[in-house]
Amino acid sequence: MEKQIAIIGLGKMGGNIARRLSKKGWTVVGYNRTSTVTDEIAKEGITPAYSFEELSSKLSSTPKVVLLVLPSGQPTDEILFGEGNIVEHLSEGDIVVDGANSFYKKTLERNEKLVAKGIKFIDAGVSGGPGGALNGACLMVGGDNTLFEYLKPLFDDMAREGDSTHSMERAVMHFEGTGAGHFVKMVHNGIEYGMMQSIAEGFNILNESPFDLDLKKVTDIYMNGSVVESRLVSWLAQAFEKYGNDLDEISGAVGFNGEGEWTANVAEEMGLPVKVIRESVEFRKQSQDNPSYAGKVLTGMRNSFGGHSIEKGKMT
């Protein structure tokens, strides 16, 4: 495929994906609903577009490839199927890649609608936060294998390169079937909820211990070959470094989105136990009225890896 792509949604994730691909030699046409965001990223070599008609006209490759990096749910549907949508400016055989955290059942619905219009569609779960988007992310891709192979140069350039501790050359994997990539990413996010909750509860115990523990030092030793060494603990270390052990500036009411709950709901539909993930979701909901130190720990981690607000929790 030609190294040319349009990206719709230039926020924390989409903007950094655009920057990474541009540095990898791609011609990137960028559109954002807020035009000032488009103005700013254009200064970094991204080709700006201020309408879907303009965006499509600036793609000379065939088929045209459009990557959506948008909030899940309604914003994605509006771009695809709302008034003046992007699909109206695409042709049969063009390709839409959904790089958002979309619920896999919605992915199936969107695929059916797009296929009926002759547009090819593939789902790609992207993990690693804004830092991963810029420096190399982990990609879980669904859809048809033939389409995946065609787009693999794109996914390879988005993905983190392997090293001596990882068996894969690139952090990208295909899972056959439309929605499969988003399903794998959904469960990943549910697991993430549970892991973060365990860390938060553990550090709440450490904070209340009879000893005068430096919690930053605790994260340092945990990150030196212990069984719980992880990126999440390293991100908590960053929060302690920035805000101090008491995390005074951070809200104990934790922001949340729908992804952990999607995992819990789907598991329950399947008749599978999901106690840890369900309780981690409920903790975040209840934290809105009952903030706590454990909530501060969760907020601190979310801020470090995803740039989420440290203020009172909300859907972010």
Side-chain angles (χ1 to χ4, degrees):
M1 65 177 299
E2 294 183 46
K3 281 195 165 187
Q4 185 181 82
I5 190 168
I7 297 180
I8 298 177
L10 301 172
K12 291 178 291 186
M13 292 294 292
N16 276 354
I17 291 172
R19 294 179 179 97
R20 178 173 176 82
L21 290 176
S22 180
K23 290 177 181 177
K24 290 281 186 176
W26 287 72
T27 297
V28 180
V29 181
Y31 170 90
N32 198 78
R33 182 177 60 180
T34 304
S35 60
T36 54
V37 174
T38 308
D39 293 340
E40 286 302 310
I41 203 167
K43 298 174 183 177
E44 301 179 53
I46 307 303
T47 302
Y50 297 93
S51 69
F52 294 147
E53 181 179 12
E54 182 183 8
L55 179 143
S56 180
S57 70
K58 289 184 174 179
L59 291 174
S60 59
S61 60
T62 303
K64 297 175 180 178
V65 180
V66 178
L67 171 63
L68 307 182
V69 192
L70 300 162
S72 62
Q74 185 176 354
T76 298
D77 284 326
E78 287 179 353
I79 294 297
L80 289 174
F81 310 115
E83 184 177 354
N85 62 68
I86 179 60
V87 177
E88 294 176 357
H89 302 282
L90 298 178
S91 303
E92 185 173 347
D94 288 343
I95 301 167
V96 171
V97 183
D98 184 1
N101 284 325
S102 292
F103 185 42
Y104 82 100
K105 291 183 180 179
K106 291 293 295 182
T107 299
L108 293 171
E109 293 173 7
R110 291 169 185 146
N111 177 67
E112 186 175 346
K113 291 180 181 179
L114 290 170
V115 167
K117 296 176 180 290
I119 305 299
K120 296 180 180 180
F121 181 72
I122 194 166
D123 50 298
V126 182
S127 182
L134 182 63
N135 300 309
C138 169
L139 279 77
M140 304 154 226
V141 185
D144 174 73
N145 185 64
T146 301
L147 185 55
F148 168 76
E149 288 296 334
Y150 177 78
L151 293 171
K152 197 167 183 295
L154 166 67
F155 296 135
D156 282 346
D157 280 348
M158 289 172 62
R160 185 179 71 174
E161 297 179 7
D163 56 35
S164 60
T165 63
H166 300 91
S167 61
M168 296 171 59
E169 181 183 356
R170 293 285 191 279
V172 56
M173 184 71 74
H174 176 247
F175 301 91
E176 183 70 29
T178 299
H182 281 159
F183 190 92
V184 173
K185 180 57 163 57
M186 175 191 74
V187 176
H188 161 283
N189 289 355
I191 293 169
E192 175 188 306
Y193 267 57
M195 292 174 67
M196 290 177 68
Q197 185 67 27
S198 178
I199 293 169
E201 292 177 6
F203 275 83
N204 190 39
I205 297 168
L206 291 163
N207 187 56
E208 296 292 332
S209 80
F211 305 100
D212 183 20
L213 298 174
D214 183 333
L215 300 185
K216 173 60 169 60
K217 289 175 66 176
V218 174
T219 61
D220 289 342
I221 192 59
Y222 283 180
M223 285 301 297
N224 251 301
S226 85
V227 173
V228 298
E229 181 177 1
S230 65
R231 298 182 79 189
L232 288 170
V233 173
S234 73
W235 283 318
L236 178 56
Q238 291 177 23
F240 285 138
E241 183 73 32
K242 186 173 183 179
Y243 298 106
N245 285 345
D246 293 335
L247 303 175
D248 284 337
E249 297 178 45
I250 293 180
S251 174
V254 191
F256 61 96
N257 45 37
E259 297 145 24
E261 190 162 26
W262 295 343
T263 307
N265 290 344
V266 168
E268 288 162 359
E269 289 173 6
M270 298 168 74
L272 300 174
V274 67
K275 179 180 176 63
V276 172
I277 296 174
R278 171 59 71 191
E279 290 187 355
S280 67
V281 171
E282 293 307 313
F283 178 89
R284 295 195 186 193
K285 290 182 177 180
Q286 293 167 14
S287 75
Q288 307 309 303
D289 297 318
N290 298 286
S292 64
Y293 185 80
K296 288 176 177 285
V297 172
L298 289 168
T299 301
M301 281 188 281
R302 295 183 82 248
N303 176 258
S304 292
F305 74 74
H308 300 289
S309 174
I310 63 170
E311 297 176 358
K312 181 174 172 61
K314 55 185 177 180
M315 295 288 286
T316 57

